[in-house]
Amino acid sequence: MTEGEASFEDGVIADMRAHDGVVTSGPLAGHPLLIMTSTGAVTGDPRRAVLTWSRDGGDYVVAGTAGGSPKDPAWVRNVTRNPDVTVEIANRTVPARASIVREPDRTRLWDRHVAALPWFGPYPEQAGREIPVIRLTPVPPKQGA
């Protein structure tokens, strides 16, 4: 991530945290965003990603579009190797388990994601690849912990 990208992301996160998880200014204003922290596949270091989400029941659904880039974003590799993540949404952080969605659910969830977030529609053609769809399932706290 470049310095400019990190600065932009820091600004988005500050805006979200100041407004109960809602981005109020800039190009992402009004978009449903969450902050996912994963473990780096190579480094083992915490890695954050600001992601647009849709819902499937109690789960969050995110897509590895990388803005239409021909390569999957690094966080997809991270969650494939280390599926235990945290999700911050509406100023609340919860542990979750990430899973790459396979067919037939992948197409159903992609179609619902695009219906909720239409600007995602052109990404597969633009990227020249199938966009990975990831389910983030909140993990309930352990009883007696």
Side-chain angles (χ1 to χ4, degrees):
M1 178 181 302
T2 68
E3 188 175 318
E5 291 168 332
S7 177
F8 175 77
E9 187 176 90
D10 289 342
V12 168
I13 290 171
D15 189 19
M16 289 172 69
R17 289 179 175 160
H19 299 100
D20 293 324
V22 176
V23 179
T24 62
S25 63
L28 299 177
H31 289 216
L33 298 177
L34 59 78
I35 304 163
M36 180 187 72
T37 303
S38 61
T39 301
V42 174
T43 65
D45 293 337
R47 300 289 187 216
R48 74 178 184 200
V50 177
L51 304 170
T52 308
W53 57 271
S54 58
R55 292 298 294 255
D56 186 47
D59 296 341
Y60 299 96
V61 176
V62 295
T65 63
S69 168
K71 292 175 61 176
D72 289 346
W75 64 262
V76 171
R77 185 179 54 206
N78 294 346
V79 302
T80 299
R81 181 160 298 161
N82 302 300
D84 294 322
V85 299
T86 60
V87 174
E88 180 181 337
I89 188 160
N91 288 351
R92 198 173 127 242
T93 302
V94 297
R97 184 125 179 118
S99 57
I100 307 295
V101 180
R102 306 288 179 213
E103 293 301 347
D105 280 344
R106 189 216 161 272
T107 297
R108 176 182 67 83
L109 292 177
W110 173 256
D111 290 347
R112 286 179 60 193
H113 199 69
V114 170
L117 310 162
W119 59 91
F120 276 71
Y123 285 148
E125 185 176 338
Q126 180 181 334
R129 63 183 170 87
E130 182 176 271
I131 303 296
V133 175
I134 294 85
R135 177 185 299 276
L136 302 174
T137 303
V139 177
K142 293 181 179 166
Q143 297 296 324

